[in-house]
Amino acid sequence: MDKIGFLEANAVCIIVLGWIFFEIRTRPDQRFENILFSNALSTVCIMLLSASVRLVCNGMPGRLCYILNLVSSAAFYAVSGYASASWLLFLAMETWGSKKKRPAVILRYLPMAPIIFLAVISICSIWTGWVFYIPPETNLRTHGVMHAAEPVITYTFFASSALLLIVRMLQRRFTRHEIRIRLIFIILLIASGLVHAIVPSTSTIWLALSVSLALLYIEMQTKQISQDGLTGINNRRSFDNYLNLLFKEERTEGLFLMMCDIDLFKTINDKYGHIEGDEALCTTAGILKRQCHAHGGRGVYLARYGGDEFVIVCSMETAASMQSLKTSIEGAFGAYNASQEKPYMLQLSIGIAEAEPEMQDVRKLIMKADAALYEEKRQHHKSLR
């Protein structure tokens, strides 16, 4: 990549990432993962800016160019460790989530030793030449005796990020769309690493990371539109779009709709508070998600319909297969209740409806499942009360 092209690419990435950073930081929702993501954005912008300044100033005559080359080089090497670690920390938080705080806390402080070490020797290089050296006479940057510390530390963090993503993908914890975006990061990381090994003066890794961050931001925006904010599963809008698409494309043969409702959920809210009610909803979503994954994975669609109601859409060869899924769900909730010491029991009423060949209206399938649900709910309430 020639100098002009590299500078233009850096400028575009800085503008895009700067705009994303502004959008995130001005939101009232400042969760820990959002802070980590904005940190990754800001540090990558610093890397791109310092890479651009040192590229322009390297070898240029004049005292100002020499000072800018010196300062930008020190900033580039000093911030690179934190920039790569910020990406790892964000992925760790995304992987483990806020409920499992211990791994996230360990990862938050564990990388500080190499980050601080790299920052200190980089800043000291202005006077010592440990990482880089720029003679005032030529203003040409050369590598110092400890220059290898920067790529070793930086690429260790990036390799750890790639390994974390690979393990997560092998565990089948991502959707196909999420896997594609993360594969792009891994491929870009490998490609930029090879380019850097062949042409050490070219730091394309930060351009690659800029693309990954932009794609991840698009994914985050998409999730806000299609994902339920509390439980993390698909929301009502996403469900409506999905079911309408199946009917529009006439993919209704063997199509089943399961509607689930938490029994006596209002009692949980009224007696134990809305925080406990929210926890019950999240637990229910988690159990349903695991059962859906065990009975078809991506072929089974789960969503929160509204309130304490959940829906499952899937294609089954027979009604017996759908009944098997229902039995597994009931067994999973029975096992959960037996293992917990909650003052209440989590139990679902479940209604199942199959799309009939002549059924052209989505609403008819929903009404059919709804009727089956409330019939079972009526029976449950008789026994529970």
Side-chain angles (χ1 to χ4, degrees):
M1 182 183 293
D2 66 322
K3 182 185 290 189
I4 300 300
F6 183 75
L7 293 173
E8 288 177 345
N10 280 5
V12 170
C13 289
I14 290 171
I15 293 171
V16 172
L17 296 186
W19 175 79
I20 296 174
F21 175 83
F22 177 78
E23 286 291 310
I24 292 177
R25 295 300 287 182
T26 53
R27 290 176 183 172
D29 180 16
Q30 291 299 312
R31 293 172 294 176
F32 185 47
E33 52 265 41
N34 284 349
I35 295 173
L36 287 177
F37 187 68
S38 61
N39 284 347
L41 290 168
S42 60
T43 51
V44 172
C45 284
I46 293 172
M47 294 303 297
L48 293 170
L49 180 61
S50 57
S52 300
V53 173
R54 72 185 197 139
L55 180 64
V56 171
C57 295
N58 192 45
M60 294 289 288
R63 183 67 178 171
L64 179 60
C65 288
Y66 170 73
I67 293 173
L68 288 174
N69 194 13
L70 203 63
V71 173
S72 61
S73 296
F76 181 88
Y77 291 117
V79 178
S80 61
Y82 182 69
S84 53
S86 295
W87 177 244
L88 173 61
L89 291 175
F90 171 74
L91 293 178
M93 174 57 74
E94 187 188 42
T95 298
W96 282 301
S98 58
K99 291 186 178 180
K100 298 183 179 179
K101 294 182 179 178
R102 184 174 297 175
V105 169
I106 292 172
L107 277 171
R108 186 180 180 183
Y109 294 102
L110 181 63
M112 293 309 295
I115 291 171
I116 294 172
F117 171 75
L118 181 58
V120 169
I121 64 172
S122 298
I123 294 172
C124 289
S125 294
I126 296 175
W127 302 278
T128 63
W130 286 339
V131 178
F132 66 93
Y133 175 67
I134 305 175
E137 300 80 17
T138 62
N139 195 24
L140 288 172
R141 185 177 52 257
T142 56
H143 293 168
V145 294
M146 302 180 70
H147 179 268
E150 189 270 334
V152 168
I153 292 173
T154 300
Y155 279 94
T156 296
F157 284 132
F158 281 133
S160 300
S161 302
L163 181 62
L164 183 63
L165 291 176
I166 291 171
V167 171
R168 188 74 169 164
M169 285 189 285
L170 290 175
Q171 293 174 342
R172 302 177 69 183
R173 300 300 180 121
F174 291 124
T175 64
R176 290 180 182 177
H177 177 68
E178 290 171 338
I179 287 175
R180 284 195 296 269
I181 290 178
R182 284 147 184 82
L183 279 175
I184 289 173
F185 164 70
I186 295 172
I187 293 169
L188 289 175
L189 175 65
I190 295 172
S192 59
L194 292 173
V195 171
H196 184 67
I198 297 170
V199 187
S201 61
T202 305
S203 300
T204 55
I205 181 64
W206 304 109
L207 290 174
L209 188 56
S210 299
V211 173
S212 300
L213 287 169
L215 290 174
L216 196 58
Y217 176 74
I218 294 171
E219 179 193 299
M220 292 165 64
Q221 296 301 105
T222 303
K223 278 186 177 181
Q224 287 188 353
I225 296 172
S226 61
Q227 193 178 72
D228 179 61
L230 176 64
T231 61
I233 61 175
N234 297 301
N235 60 17
R236 172 67 180 274
R237 175 188 292 183
S238 176
F239 163 73
D240 289 340
N241 292 338
Y242 179 73
L243 198 58
N244 280 311
L245 180 64
L246 292 179
F247 271 77
K248 184 179 180 180
E249 295 180 352
E250 298 182 352
R251 290 188 286 155
T252 56
E253 185 177 353
L255 182 68
F256 288 86
L257 172 63
M258 177 185 289
M259 298 195 76
C260 311
D261 186 281
I262 302 176
D263 291 326
L264 304 180
F265 178 72
K266 187 176 185 300
T267 302
I268 297 174
N269 261 340
D270 293 344
K271 194 171 183 180
Y272 305 105
H274 285 85
I275 293 178
E276 190 66 39
D278 288 348
E279 187 175 332
L281 288 170
C282 292
T283 300
T284 299
I287 295 173
L288 290 174
K289 190 174 182 178
R290 288 190 291 273
Q291 292 305 308
C292 288
H293 181 75
H295 285 75
R298 300 187 185 96
V300 181
Y301 182 90
L302 170 67
R304 183 183 177 193
Y305 191 69
D308 61 330
E309 290 188 341
F310 299 83
V311 288
I312 298 172
V313 182
C314 54
S315 295
M316 297 284 188
E317 293 183 0
T318 62
S321 300
M322 199 66 184
Q323 189 63 37
S324 174
L325 174 58
K326 178 183 177 182
T327 303
S328 296
I329 290 173
E330 291 170 340
F333 276 91
Y336 170 80
N337 290 324
S339 65
Q340 299 295 315
E341 296 182 355
K342 293 284 187 182
Y344 57 86
M345 303 285 284
L346 266 184
Q347 182 175 315
L348 298 184
S349 293
I350 300 174
I352 300 174
E354 181 179 5
E356 300 168 359
E358 69 278 2
M359 192 177 286
Q360 302 295 324
D361 192 347
V362 172
R363 291 175 298 178
K364 290 184 179 179
L365 179 62
I366 295 175
M367 290 171 62
K368 187 178 177 181
D370 205 34
L373 166 67
Y374 279 96
E375 176 57 31
E376 177 158 313
K377 196 171 186 68
R378 188 176 64 84
Q379 298 296 330
H380 278 190
H381 279 209
K382 281 184 180 180
S383 60
L384 290 172
R385 293 182 190 278

